[in-house]
Amino acid sequence: MLVETHQRMVFSIALRVTGEYGVAEEVAQDVFLELYRGADRLESADHVKFWLRRVTVNKATDSLRRKSRRPEAVAEEWMEEQFVPEAAAKLDVRIEARLEELLRTLPESMRVAVILRHQEEMLPDEIAAMLGQPVATVKSHLQRGLQLLRRKAAVTMKEYVR
Amino acid sequence: MSESEMKTGPEFDEVLASALQRVDAPEGFAARVMERAGTETRVRESGPGAPRVVAGTRILAFPRRPVWATGAIAAGLIVGALTIGQVHERREQAAQVEAQRMQADKDFETASRIEDATLEHTREQLARAGVQLGD
């Protein structure tokens, strides 16, 4: 069944883009319902996977925009919070979870590129084809996104990431 | 690039790769999707007059007839057409049979008259020849 085969992929993309578990499930359900409505138009397993990734990214970013949540602003608040001395005691949170949180603070275009590259292991030209963007744009988003993540990680997690 | 950034180089990629592993969908996710798909199908098939909902957007549509009603109407039209056709055909057949029967009666009467006349003529000839036949 298509839902069972692809639910991890769809839900993971939705979760990493939206940053919220409940919203991610809603987005993932909508994606599969749309698949259900138009499954006869999809020609192969690869086509299904390509379509699912594209629609998930679109729906997840639409959901973000509807909520008009600004990741950059959230990032600033979060960063300030981390630098107060009392918050330093809380730094025993798992590094991966912290990195995932930092990912949510990236601007949307950079975040999507990083997720598709490092979670879905897609190549820049595949990402470009999927998002309908020039390869150079995707590479730029990737490079800047990773740079920003590294910088944030270096500042906030230097005791853990060496 | 600062010293702290350089330190995060190789391990950072590993940690990032690990942090971005796919995660499991919530328990019962597939069942909930199928339930919503089933609900949508039922709404689509049995919502007379209800606006259709496509991808979260309401679109105006002409009142929709339930599928069963469309089927029943189609079946009724087909049966009706067949019935009218059959009645017409049967009437024509009955008229033909009646016409044939009347023609047969006429033919029989004509044949009978010819036979009677022929018999009388033969009897007269025999009588002229002196042969007398009984009744």
Side-chain angles (χ1 to χ4, degrees), chain A:
Chain A
M1 195 167 110
L2 286 173
V3 178
E4 282 164 356
T5 307
H6 297 293
Q7 60 181 0
R8 285 188 89 230
M9 176 186 79
V10 169
F11 180 73
S12 299
I13 294 172
L15 178 63
R16 299 255 155 75
V17 174
T18 63
E20 288 184 36
Y21 210 77
V23 176
E25 170 159 7
E26 197 179 323
V27 166
Q29 283 190 14
D30 288 347
V31 170
F32 281 112
L33 282 179
E34 199 162 324
L35 176 72
Y36 165 77
R37 290 180 200 122
D40 51 339
R41 292 193 300 266
L42 302 173
E43 294 152 2
S44 65
D46 283 345
H47 192 189
V48 169
K49 203 169 175 180
F50 177 90
W51 185 92
L52 283 172
R53 281 171 166 162
R54 184 166 56 81
V55 174
T56 306
V57 167
N58 289 343
K59 284 190 180 294
T61 49
D62 284 350
S63 164
L64 271 184
R65 285 168 199 161
R66 276 199 301 274
K67 290 178 68 182
S68 31
R69 188 177 175 199
R70 293 189 306 120
E72 294 83 353
V74 176
E76 282 162 20
E77 290 161 18
W78 186 87
M79 299 280 270
E80 284 166 13
E81 191 181 303
Q82 300 311 307
F83 285 120
V84 299
E86 293 79 13
K90 297 178 185 172
L91 286 175
D92 57 347
V93 182
R94 289 175 57 220
I95 296 173
E96 291 170 12
R98 186 60 59 86
L99 200 52
E100 212 175 332
E101 272 188 55
L102 284 179
L103 177 74
R104 286 174 209 154
T105 68
L106 291 183
E108 182 190 299
S109 54
M110 293 183 201
R111 188 169 4 144
V112 167
V114 171
I115 291 166
L116 293 176
R117 178 73 188 97
H118 294 276
Q119 176 188 292
E120 295 303 310
E121 297 178 346
M122 293 172 73
L123 296 169
D125 57 338
E126 291 174 325
I127 298 171
M130 202 192 89
L131 299 177
Q133 292 174 350
V135 180
T137 305
V138 170
K139 284 182 175 172
S140 165
H141 286 157
L142 267 175
Q143 194 180 7
R144 287 167 55 209
L146 286 175
Q147 208 171 25
L148 195 52
L149 260 186
R150 279 170 188 267
R151 196 169 292 162
K152 288 182 176 185
V155 171
T156 62
M157 310 193 313
K158 57 188 171 188
E159 292 108 68
Y160 296 87
V161 181
R162 296 185 205 287

Side-chain angles (χ1 to χ4, degrees), chain B residues 16-94:
Chain B
L16 181 63
S18 181
L20 292 185
Q21 292 286 314
R22 284 181 183 169
V23 294
D24 286 334
E27 191 72 31
F29 173 80
R32 286 192 286 280
V33 171
M34 296 318 290
E35 192 183 331
R36 276 186 68 186
T39 305
E40 187 172 286
T41 305
R42 284 194 296 275
V43 168
R44 198 185 300 161
E45 287 181 353
S46 65
R52 281 185 291 157
V53 177
V54 176
T57 308
R58 278 174 180 276
I59 58 168
L60 289 174
F62 289 110
R64 282 162 61 85
R65 205 177 282 124
V67 171
W68 64 264
T70 307
I73 290 167
L77 287 172
I78 292 167
V79 169
L82 283 176
T83 309
I84 291 168
Q86 283 171 345
V87 167
H88 185 67
E89 195 178 343
R90 280 179 190 167
R91 277 185 186 164
E92 279 191 346
Q93 282 175 349

